[in-house]
Every structure is written in C-alpha cells, then in structure tokens.
Amino acid sequence: MNAITPPRTAPADHSPVAPLRQRGQHEVFCGLTSIIWLHRKVQDAFFLIVGSRTCAHLMQSAAGVMIFAEPRFGTAIIEERDLAGMADLHEELDRVVARLLARRPEIRMLVLVGSCPSEVIKLDLGKAAERLARLHAPATRVMHFSGSGIETTFTQGEDNFLASLARELPATDASAGPSLMVAGALPDVVEDQFRRIFDALGIGPVSFLPSRASTGLPPIGPGTRVLLAQPYLGEAARALEARGATVLSAPFPLGEEGTTAWLGAAAAAFGVEPGRFDAITKAGRRRAREAVARHRAELEGRRVFLFPDSQLEPSIARFLSREAGAEIVEIGSPYLHRQHLAGELALLSPGIPFSEGQDVDRQLDRCRAARPDLAVCGMGLANPLEAEGIATKWSIELVFTPVQGYEQAGDLAELFVRPLARRAALKLGA
Amino acid sequence: MQLTVWTYEGPPHVGAMRIAASMRGLHYVLHAPQGDTYADLLFTMIERRDTRPPVTYTTFKAQDLGADTAEIFKIACRDAVERFQPEAIIVGASCTAELIQDDPAGLAAALALPIPVIPLELPSYSKKENWGAAETFYRLVRTFAAAAQPKTVRSMRPAGERSCNLLGPTSLGFRHRDDIVEVRKLVEGLGVAVNLVAPLGASPSDLARLPEADFNVVLYPEIASTAADWLKRNHGQPFVSIPPIGVGATAEFLTAVAELAGVPPPAAAPTNLRMPWYSRSIDSTYLTGKRVFIFGDATHAVAAARIAADELGFVVCGLGTYSREFARDVRAAAAHHGVEPLISDDHLAVEDAIIAAQPELILGTQMERHVAKRLRIPCAVISAPVHVQDFPARYSPQMGHEGANVLFDSWVHPLMMGLEEHLLGMFRDDFEFNDTVAPSHLGHSTAPAGVAPDESTLVVLDRPVAWSGDAEKELRKIPFFVRGKARRNTERFAAERGLHTITIETLYDAKAHYSR
C-alpha cells in the first residue's frame, strides 16, 4: 500500500475494544444456506446435501418459491436403516448420485455437502467424493465441503466451498506473470463492473472465484494476487495461499471508501500510477458519494444495532458510520477474523462495542435497553422486534442483493433507509 | 437414503415446536446444533407471528462435541425456566442431537426444576412433523389431564347442557385460525358450549380442564386423534372425528355432534351457505366432468375428493396423501372414486402421477402448486405445507358453511372462465387469446418464460406410435387442457390395435371410442 491508500484511514492502533464473547443460543443460519446463491453462481454445478429431513426442510423454507424452478440442489435424506451400518450408507449415496446424474445429465460438477448428521456419524464424504469421481469422470467432477451448523455459520459455507475449489484449481505455467484473482461470489453485474475497472487500470489477467462454470476454473500459482471480495473467506484464503498465491490486505468493497481502498490494494500490488488510479476511479467515486448523499439525511445520527449473521457486519457498520453518518450501538458478528478485518477495524472509531458469537436472549436485552433507531437482524427476530416498536432491517438481504462497488453504494444505503421510510409513510397506528 | 428437493413434512421436532408455539405458558428446550433456529422463520415469516416462538435451542457447535453438550443443555434449561417463567417445559432433541444421545429427559429430570418437565421421544429418522405434533400433544394431555385413580364412571350432563372440546388446531396449520371460528359457530349454534380449544390458545393448566367437557370434537385427526383416543379411554369422553369440510361433511358433522349433545340436528341450512346454489347455477354446468387430481394431508385430501365429486361435479382422476398414518382412509376414498391411491412422500412420484393422470385441475399443497405451474395446469392449494400466501389476512376458513363458500371460489377461480373456454374451442389462432397464454381473467398476457408452450410436457415420453403431420395438426385444434388426455387416449387406442401411424381418422376413431 502506498499513496493510493484512502485519505481518511485512521491510525492503525485505533482497534476496537476486545469483543464481548457470550455462549448461548445462536440465532443464525448454518452454512448449508450458502448453497442458495452458490448454485446460481456456478451454473453447471449441483449441490447435494447429505443430511437429514431437517436439512431438506431448512433449504425449502429458506429458498421458498425457488423450489418451483427445479433448483440445482437437493438433499439425500439419511433414514433409519442407513444409520444401521456405514457400508450401506456409501452404497445408498452411490445409488442416489447415479439417479441424480441420470436425471440431470448436464451437471459437470457434483458437490457433496456435509451436514451436522453426516459430520456427527463421521460419514467420510472425502472418500465418497473420490469414489464417485472415479465412477463419473470425466463427465462430472465430484467435490465435497461441510456446510454443517456445528462447523459453519451462514456465509462460512461459501468459505468452505471456495477452499475446496482452491484445491481443484489448475496450476499456472511456471513462466506465468502476475495475475489477479477476486475471491468471493459476487452478483454478475458487480463482477462485470469490477472487471471493467481492472481492465482500465491495466491490471490483468483477472479471474473470479467461483467462476460461472466449473469447466472454466481459473489457474493459480505464485504469481497470483488474491483480492477477497467478501470478509468471510478465512479458510479459502488459507487454501489459496497454500497454492502459492498472495492474499492482498484491504477493506471490503462496500461504499465509496471501501471500494476505493479495495481497488487501491490491487492497484498498489500491480504498480498502477496513483494519477492513473485517480483518473480511472474518479467518476465512480463521485457517483457513489452522490448516491449515498441522497440518503444521508435519513441515516445521519441514527443509532444502529447489528446482530450477528454473515460476518459482513463490521464492513456494514464502517460504511454506515463513515459514509452515512450513523451511530453504531453494537456490532455483532458470528466470527471475527482479525487479520482479514484489519483494514476495516482501522477505519472504525474506537470504543464501538463488538460481540463475537451470541447469546441471543442477552443480546436482545441489550438491544431493547439501547432502543436503537434500526436493528439489523435475521428474520427470526425481525417481526418480533418490529412488534416491540423497534425498526429492523432483515440482514439476509445484504447477501442476496448487489451491494458492492461504486454503482451499488447508493443501493446499499437505501436498504437501510427503506424500513425507516416505510415507518414514516404508514398511517396505521401502532 | 431418499433424494429430495422438497419434503411434505418437516422433522418431528418441528411438530413439537408447532404445539409449543400454539400454546401459552409452555416452553420448549430443544437440543439442536447451530442453524436449526431456521425453524423460527416458519412462525415469524410464514405465519407472520409477532413474537418469537417459545423455543430455546442449545445450538451446540463442533467444539462443544468433545465433552460438554450435556452441560450446555442443562444451562439452557435452567436459563429458559428462569427467563420465561413458563408453567411447564417440554424437552427433546433434534435429529443431530438424537445421534449424540445426551438424554435430554434424564438431564432435565436431574435439574429438579420447580415446574413440570415433559420429555419427548421423537425419532427423527423415521417419523415426521405431524407425528411429532400428535405425539407432543398426546404427552401434554396425558400429563395435565391425568385420569382419576381409581377411574370413575363418567356421566354426561343432561341433553342440551353438554359441552365439548375442539381438538387439533395448531400454529402453522392450514387455515386453523379461521376454521375454529367457524366450527365454534356451528357447535354453539346447536346449543353446545365449547369448553376448551386446544392446543391453539390453551395453557398447560387449561389442559387440566379437558375432562370437564362431555365429549370431544377432533378437527384435525393428524394432530389430535391420539390424544382423543386417550381421553376416551381414560375419561370416557366420546369424540366426533368428521372434519366439517364441504357441505355434506358439515351436515354429517352437525348430525354427529347433535347426537352426542342429545339435541336435534339443525333443521335447515343457514342463509349464508351460498355454495350449493352457486354449484347448481347454470354457469357451473361446464364444471361437470372436469378431471381433478387431489393430493395433501389425508384429512384435506379425502374431504376435497368428496366435495369435488359430490358438490362440484368434477371427476376425481387421482387421489393421494403423504400422511402414511392415515393411508387407510385415503385408500378407502380412492376405492370409492375408482382411482389408484397414491401414498407417497416423494414429490417426484406425485409429479409422475399427475403427468399420467392428465388432470384439468390440481388440488394440492405448495409443491403441487409448483408442479402445476411447470405443467401449466390450473391449481388451488387445499393442504399444508403452504407458503406465506396461504396465511391470508382475510377470513378464509375451509370448514363449515363459510368454508364451503371459500372453497367454491378458490377452486373454480383457476379454471378458464366458461365463455373464454368456448371461444378458444372455436377460434384457435387469435393473436391474444390462444392456448399458449394463461386464462385472461388471471391477467397474464404471455406464457411465463421457460415454460413449454404446449402439452408435450404432459405426455409420457415413451411413445409407441408415430403421428402423421395432419393428425398432429388436428390434435392442436383440441383445447389445451384436454389435449394431453386426447393424445394419450389416441396413442393407447392405436397401440391396442397395432397401428404404427396415427392419422386424422385414428384420432376421431379414438375420440368416438372413449367418448364419455
């Protein structure tokens, strides 16, 4: 990092207070829910959960009406007779996979996804994937990762998937020069915007992980510089580093400031002239600031309480406080990856209470006592809090909406304005 | 192992959760891994509940598995009792906790809590949601409405002064909220007092008052028949188990309730019952013989088949249920309607059966709504599982007289309106009103993207005979919703006669052969 570092960076020693760690009920999704967006991102992949009826029920409850479209995911439900003997379980899995691939012959990548039951009975999905790969190669690649609730929270499912993809990537040629890999599933439109900016900066070749097709997996090697587009990629970053790549440190591309710093990290790594960087990003920065400014009046001084959900919370809080003028009451996150968050934490004003993990009842007590203007929380809490008179923004939408980059900065702010605007608009009494 | 993208029922602990969420003063401590709290969304989003369901999850993680998951469970129990101050708690395990065998019953007993603790044994790998709900309700009734020892012989109050309980309505039940309003009206109209509605709205101490009623009314056998059986054996309470869905069933229900109450059945239908006249009026003539495929829980499927055949003049061309516990009732109804019963929880098998039956209307669950949309067949939802649109703001019971009115409207609405159907049969090539678009009263001007524009998706793939070009063209002149049936009949007709090519002649020969 050099001259391109954003001008408003706070001194590095302004890290927040030690997070509050409480052990109690976690009101969060498990990693299986990542499949809901991953199966759309990687279009020739099928995600097969090996789990229980609960897993299948979770997926259909969370994916709602998408089931109608015959989604590229499903559950192999473990039944009582499967639990009787493990050999039987592997045979059953082979049978289910054969039926599935016969029904969906266009599938090029089958992903076995571990669940709590499969982890607890120690069903070896790695071995199963190897065996199934032998049976179905070369038409279908078979991979595996765990999305179980005992090991993963919500977006960590994607982390584990990308980590397993990292091990599958082809190696770059020994003669290959530097290249940039953007890790973390992004909406297609955002991916295209970033690609245009990198092209204009002369950074390349650029690849995105996951790729849109499993047949187009990008190569990796010692010349690869990795920019994490999402804050929840601890395992994936480790796996990419194990392949020789270098992970660049940067805040995440939310808001004008985050996006500039994020792009700046890549520009610095590729030796882009500061003047050129400014020229290329100038228009985007201006548009982002203008778009956010339109919402600033509504958010300025508003007190926001963030419950843990996706690990995006510190970045969201940084955006809301620095660009929209909001006051942050508490930042809850399921997990704080200190190293990857260093860029974000440096930008947050010191003294904001953090909590890592959750005891939902005690956190609700803190939220009620603080009476925030807006609580960012999951859908299990949102309606009950609304009924108590606390405005909420349901947090899952932040994962399912294009919010990264300059052109989405205004949309990101608007997501938080909407519930407040709605409360002002409704003339319905309590 | 069963491959599935859709399951008709959740795991049994979701059934237990529905009972806990239905009641007041009851809390559920569920030993479950992190992530299982997704179930809260069913209540807060689908049912739009404004409070959190009374469930405390232990949400253990991998690092807890080493030693102390039992300790986590005990802490969760103690904290839940202290914080929520319930009258009683139920304790149990989800599918993953069942595997680690921490014994929630024993752990909770060891805590010596100051309130009753009801342990639940819900085998997650063999049973499902409705069974879990029925078992939980039964355990609660057993605990709180314990029989006197020694058993006393029950004597009913005098005829005309008797009261009953309404058993079965729960949270997340299909239209339970409005059904109980309607049924209460029916029962009280006979001069019978309602002693208690349970589980919906009842507390554990309320359950102790169950024996005060003279008899029970089981509205949803999937939930309440186990408890009603037990109440009959232990408190001598007889019960009526005719869900009053449809005009005929409602009449039978009233007769049966009147008999137990010792009062005369109602003399005449009430004035708000409009469904019989609507169904007799001439605009309903074209409903006659429409082929309908029915699938759902056993109670709603059997009731729907009767209404379809006897009250709307449809022909039942398929009938099935995912409720294995009540398969016998569905088999009997299927025999009555002359169709093969389909007892399955495999949504792919249900889809295959729909394709084979070629219905003009599907009455099913949320899943059949999906299938119907893909196959472009009109559909109405008659049973759980359902999504948020089937928890409407307006009053919309299925039971009783108003329920019959609701059913008429909601089942007839998806069908092509009569005049439009006639005109489509006369003029096939209109650029706006043709059979590749949805009925115009449903407001869509074009077929949804990605949906096949003709009946080919409706036909079994294995075609034994070939169609001549002319015959294929002639087939397209047959209205969309019966074309699949015509194609299949013609192919069967040709195959039986050893014909290799279907001509226009064959098409009309088959039509004459199968004409009804």
Side-chain angles (χ1 to χ4, degrees), chain A residues 27 60 75 77 92 150 153, chain B residues 1-2 4 7 34 40 44 62:
Chain A
E27 183 83 17
Q60 80 187 39
T75 308
I77 296 184
E92 283 288 296
I150 56 178
T153 306
Chain B
M1 258 182 206
Q2 187 194 357
T4 184
T7 153
Q34 167 175 270
D40 285 358
T44 60

Side-chain angles (χ1 to χ4, degrees), chain A residues 23 28 40 50 107-108 135 147 173-174 183 209 216 256 295 303 316 334 364 378 383 420 424:
Chain A
R23 179 67 187 83
V28 289
R40 286 294 169 86
V50 183
I107 298 303
R108 293 285 159 268
L135 282 172
D173 291 332
L209 190 74
E256 182 272 320
H295 300 294
R303 300 171 63 253
I316 296 288
L364 280 167
N383 271 334
L420 300 170

Side-chain angles (χ1 to χ4, degrees), chain A residues 101 104-105 107-110 132-134 136-142:
Chain A
L101 291 179
R104 304 297 298 265
I107 298 303
R108 293 285 159 268
M109 185 201 289
L110 175 71
L132 286 162
R134 279 198 301 277
H136 299 286
T140 310
R141 183 198 296 269
V142 185

